[in-house]
Amino acid sequence: MSEKTTTENIPYFAAPTEENWSFQTGPLQFMRAAHKRHGGVCRISFSDREFVLLTGTEANEFVWSSSDLWCYRDSRGAFLSELGEPHVTSSDGEKHRAKRKLINKSFSVSSNIRYLPKIASIVRDHLKAAAEAGEKVALRQWLPRVITRFNLETVSQAAVSDEEFEILVRWQLHFISGVALSPQKQEAHYSLPSYLEDKKAAFDIMGRIVDERLADDNPPDDNFQQVIEAREKAGTPGTRDDLVNELYYILVAGIQNTTHFTITMLREIYSPAGWLDWLREELEDWDGYDAMAVAGMERLKAFTFEIQRNRPQVLTLPLLPNRDFEFGGYTIPEGTLCVYCPPFMHFDEQYFENPDVFDPKRFMDGAKFSPKHNGFFGGGAHVCVGRNVTLLQGPLMVALILKSFDLQDVPPSDTFLIEQSGGEAQTPCEVRIVPRATEPASV
Ligand code: HEM
């Protein structure tokens, strides 16, 4: 009889590190110390559970090229439990590939760049209104609402009442803030009566939007319509629930992520390092209205690359192997809870000089953040579909703010405990938005 494989021979890396980091207080520092001591494989504990930690370029390449090894359905349980059966993962094989093909066009640069002028005008109106109100706004709550507003007028056009709007945003934010919790905490998080009520209402609203769209003889040519047409063309019209799932992706799935990205940029810009003046210098010649010009701003682009590199927002992703596998000289048994760090190589001196230093200038003069060394949006079969959306919308919102407004009381950036996407430690980021004296004249 063959012996059952165990993880016992895999070295255990205990917190705190010599520099006093634990996974909770400094996840990146902790993982880097673990890698330095044990190479790309070791056992660690957090949230009362033990994981096998896979780190380094080889680990990322391995994870991203072996999608059939991972039970995505089980390791990303929150998505399935909250979005229901139409949510597919690479564990669904062909179904997942087909879904990615159907939604590809809606998430392309060309489908999203066309809406930038409209988005800019909506964002500007919201900024003006917030400045006029004179009250502090919590960006963590305010930005997702601004994004959902412009999404409803651009990528997935639909009329919703103010009450419905609130429900959609509230449900999405509550849902996403639970995805990284342990199963026990997740169960409590998703069984709150107020959440369950919002969830039902949010699906009813999205279902109604789908019904109205299918009955519309003259539908808008937006990104949601592109999915419906892609489905027709492929001969897979899909069920109402499938379309609700796709509407969800386009309308609200990314609002928290783009919010977080934008807040991270703003916190760094308003740090004492002086990036505010550096970026504003570039904005001097901009009229504040030509949204398309933002994509050509070299400093803003370099800043956006450096934010992705040095301030990654998804630090770890869970993995659950469906069979024993070999990595780094060890056999890791089927069903072992594993975790990997997609942005680990952002801090590797082989690729980036002084990787701990936040320096956007490293990406000036045409230097690119090579996709090979960029794990900000994950990789492999599940690489983020919303990448283009965030990279168009986030810098545009930042440019609009810096050009015509000032933010007061921006909380300092947090270099150690980089706030995990969807985590519990996120600041509300309360700021006051005030007009700048040099606001551009409208054109
Ligand atoms: C800064 C912004 C964002 C970051 C850092 C980010 C990060 C990620 C990462 C790391 C993954 C891979 C997850 C995995 O392997 O399980 C992912 C997947 C995904 N992202 Fe994003 N994301 C961002 C923005 C967005 C936006 C704006 C949208 C929607 C408009 C979006 C929709 C999705 C979806 C639907 C998937 C799952 C893809 C699949 O299952 O094939 N993301 N994202």
Side-chain angles (χ1 to χ4, degrees):
M1 201 170 71
S2 68
E3 274 189 34
K4 199 170 163 8
T5 327
T6 73
T7 55
E8 272 163 27
N9 60 337
I10 299 176
Y12 184 78
F13 187 69
T17 64
E18 279 165 25
E19 295 83 11
N20 222 16
W21 297 117
S22 71
F23 199 86
Q24 278 76 13
T25 58
L28 268 170
Q29 287 79 353
F30 179 74
M31 288 188 281
R32 287 165 75 188
H35 185 91
K36 202 167 160 196
R37 170 129 14 121
H38 297 300
V41 191
C42 65
R43 287 180 295 138
I44 58 164
S45 300
F46 68 91
S47 277
D48 305 326
R49 288 189 292 173
E50 190 176 288
F51 293 81
V52 168
L53 172 67
L54 307 175
T55 47
T57 311
E58 291 79 25
N60 285 4
E61 282 169 1
F62 174 74
V63 171
W64 293 338
S65 61
S66 53
S67 56
D68 66 326
L69 175 61
W70 314 110
C71 306
Y72 275 97
R73 285 193 143 237
D74 301 323
S75 63
R76 311 285 191 282
F79 289 94
L80 196 61
S81 80
E82 300 315 292
L83 300 177
E85 276 303 315
H87 177 72
V88 289
T89 71
S90 57
S91 304
D92 299 293
E94 188 43 46
K95 262 190 181 171
H96 180 250
R97 284 189 288 277
K99 174 92 142 193
R100 296 277 309 213
K101 253 192 218 155
L102 288 170
I103 61 174
N104 254 347
K105 191 171 169 203
S106 318
F107 287 93
S108 65
V109 171
S110 59
S111 292
N112 287 280
I113 207 166
R114 62 189 173 145
Y115 289 124
L116 292 190
K118 179 80 182 165
I119 290 174
S121 117
I122 295 169
V123 174
R124 205 179 296 111
D125 288 348
H126 278 78
L127 286 165
K128 272 188 187 159
E132 273 161 27
E135 302 285 322
K136 273 193 156 185
V137 293
L139 290 180
R140 189 82 54 195
Q141 294 293 324
W142 186 80
L143 279 170
R145 287 169 172 80
V146 176
I147 298 168
T148 308
R149 274 279 171 230
F150 66 60
N151 281 348
L152 281 164
E153 292 195 39
T154 56
V155 290
S156 44
Q157 297 164 30
V160 299
S161 69
D162 288 350
E163 192 192 349
E164 290 175 326
F165 177 85
E166 265 312 303
I167 290 169
L168 281 173
V169 176
R170 212 166 51 216
W171 166 68
Q172 167 66 6
L173 295 185
H174 190 105
F175 162 40
I176 291 297
S177 67
V179 296
L181 299 177
S182 67
Q184 291 85 343
K185 284 190 180 164
Q186 216 168 63
E187 208 186 315
H189 190 81
Y190 292 141
S191 49
L192 284 176
S194 57
Y195 170 76
L196 290 172
E197 213 177 289
D198 276 352
K199 178 177 161 185
K200 178 171 182 326
F203 277 88
D204 285 349
I205 297 161
M206 292 190 286
R208 197 250 307 148
I209 295 175
V210 167
D211 293 340
E212 285 175 3
R213 179 59 67 93
L214 293 178
D216 192 341
D217 293 333
N218 189 19
D221 168 32
D222 62 5
N223 295 2
F224 182 45
Q225 194 61 28
Q226 288 179 338
V227 176
I228 296 175
E229 283 164 19
R231 281 197 162 278
E232 279 164 10
K233 207 166 151 199
T236 53
T239 62
R240 182 180 190 259
D241 287 348
D242 288 330
L243 289 171
V244 166
N245 183 259
E246 282 137 25
L247 171 70
Y248 163 74
Y249 273 21
I250 297 170
L251 180 57
V252 281
I255 59 173
Q256 186 273 351
N257 269 327
T258 303
T259 292
H260 188 75
F261 186 55
T262 309
I263 289 178
T264 309
M265 287 182 85
L266 291 169
R267 287 174 79 175
E268 211 54 57
I269 288 169
Y270 276 86
S271 74
W275 300 117
L276 179 62
D277 292 342
W278 188 68
L279 288 169
R280 275 201 175 137
E281 245 173 59
E282 181 175 63
L283 293 171
E284 254 167 39
D285 296 335
W286 184 45
D287 65 5
Y289 286 85
D290 178 6
M292 297 303 191
V294 173
M297 293 178 183
E298 211 197 347
R299 290 186 182 183
L300 186 58
K301 203 172 180 179
F303 193 87
T304 307
F305 274 145
E306 185 65 347
I307 286 287
Q308 289 174 62
R309 189 196 68 80
N310 193 258
R311 296 282 184 272
Q313 62 193 56
V314 178
L315 300 185
T316 54
L317 285 168
L319 298 165
L320 199 62
N322 55 32
R323 55 178 187 273
D324 292 6
F325 70 98
E326 306 283 327
F327 184 76
Y330 297 97
T331 303
I332 297 156
E334 172 187 350
T336 303
L337 275 178
C338 300
V339 69
Y340 87 109
C341 173
F344 195 85
M345 59 235 180
H346 300 190
F347 298 89
D348 189 331
E349 282 171 6
Q350 276 186 73
Y351 311 126
F352 302 100
E353 214 180 314
N354 297 328
D356 290 320
V357 177
F358 182 87
D359 182 11
K361 290 180 185 162
R362 69 174 80 236
F363 289 117
M364 289 296 285
D365 305 320
K368 294 243 157 53
F369 190 0
S370 150
K372 224 175 126 195
H373 303 132
N374 186 347
F376 186 80
F377 290 100
H382 277 263
V383 68
C384 179
V385 286
R387 180 182 172 278
N388 296 325
V389 174
T390 293
L391 293 180
L392 287 169
Q393 296 177 353
L396 174 65
M397 291 194 281
V398 167
L400 289 164
I401 293 171
L402 299 195
K403 179 72 188 174
S404 309
F405 298 87
D406 242 324
L407 300 185
Q408 294 173 345
D409 304 329
V410 179
S413 65
D414 185 347
T415 43
F416 296 122
L417 180 60
I418 298 173
E419 299 175 73
Q420 284 255 35
S421 178
E424 291 170 291
Q426 299 187 332
T427 54
C429 205
E430 287 192 355
V431 301
R432 200 179 300 281
I433 300 171
V434 293
R436 282 182 82 202
T438 51
E439 215 213 309
S442 46
V443 286

